[in-house]
Amino acid sequence: MKLDVAEMTRSKKEILEEIKKPVIILILTAFTFIIIISAVNGFGRQLYSDFIGALINLFFAWNVGFGLYKGIWQFSNSRKINKVLFPKLEQFINDSQENSYDDTEAEVYEKVKAAYSKYTEKYNKLNKIYWISFKISFAIPVIAIIIWFIYSY
């Protein structure tokens, strides 16, 4: 069986489109790991000489690392749900040809809502923890700077 050149290039383009997003995510993840490692290294270097700078580096590494974890968790879990959900939804829509469009749309909406309910609940908890951590990581260095100013003068 011989393939036409246009079919081969189209399939290569489809393959490249499919690969592009995970490669970009991998590059961004590696870049983020480098930032985290340099912040932790800065924490170690400044621990005894500049405590405030070391504390800022530590919290920066924590926030970037936790944000990276949150992003990876969100990306991987949504992809898992989508891989399972969309084929089932497609089959459900094909099987419900006799139903009206509005009925089918309402049922599909309920199925998607049910599939994403645990994901949304966990995501909201994780997001709340992240933002509390983010706020604390700004408050503690500011308090440390204020205490340092009070005791230095």
Side-chain angles (χ1 to χ4, degrees):
M1 175 177 183
K2 264 188 159 177
L3 289 175
D4 189 17
V5 175
E7 289 179 19
M8 287 179 20
T9 40
R10 185 174 25 152
S11 65
K12 287 179 184 177
K13 286 180 183 179
E14 290 172 356
I15 291 170
L16 287 176
E17 283 296 320
E18 203 172 290
I19 293 174
K20 187 169 39 170
K21 189 173 183 179
V23 168
I24 290 171
I25 290 172
L26 182 65
I27 290 170
L28 289 175
T29 303
F31 180 69
T32 306
F33 273 128
I34 291 170
I35 291 173
I36 293 169
I37 289 170
S38 66
V40 170
N41 190 16
F43 169 74
R45 279 187 278 124
Q46 293 178 338
L47 187 58
Y48 294 110
S49 62
D50 181 17
F51 184 71
I52 305 296
L55 195 62
I56 290 171
N57 275 330
L58 178 67
F59 284 124
F60 178 73
W62 169 258
N63 286 328
V64 172
F66 196 57
L68 178 66
Y69 168 74
K70 189 178 119 186
I72 290 172
W73 180 87
Q74 181 180 359
F75 179 73
S76 65
N77 282 324
S78 65
R79 285 183 62 95
K80 286 178 192 174
I81 291 171
N82 290 342
K83 282 183 180 180
V84 173
L85 180 65
F86 285 124
K88 289 181 180 180
L89 286 178
E90 186 177 355
Q91 183 175 359
F92 174 75
I93 291 170
N94 290 336
D95 291 343
S96 63
Q97 292 292 335
E98 63 275 350
N99 292 348
S100 70
Y101 176 78
D102 293 333
D103 293 339
T104 305
E105 183 180 16
E107 289 180 38
V108 166
Y109 175 75
E110 289 301 319
K111 287 181 184 281
V112 170
K113 188 176 173 183
Y116 273 97
S117 65
K118 282 187 179 180
Y119 169 81
T120 305
E121 182 181 323
K122 288 180 183 177
Y123 174 77
N124 288 339
K125 286 180 184 177
L126 191 62
N127 200 30
K128 184 178 179 181
I129 291 170
Y130 176 73
W131 284 110
I132 289 171
S133 168
F134 195 75
K135 290 173 188 174
I136 288 172
S137 70
F138 277 109
I140 290 177
V142 169
I143 292 169
I145 289 172
I146 291 170
I147 292 171
W148 179 72
F149 277 132
I150 290 172
Y151 283 110
S152 66
Y153 294 109

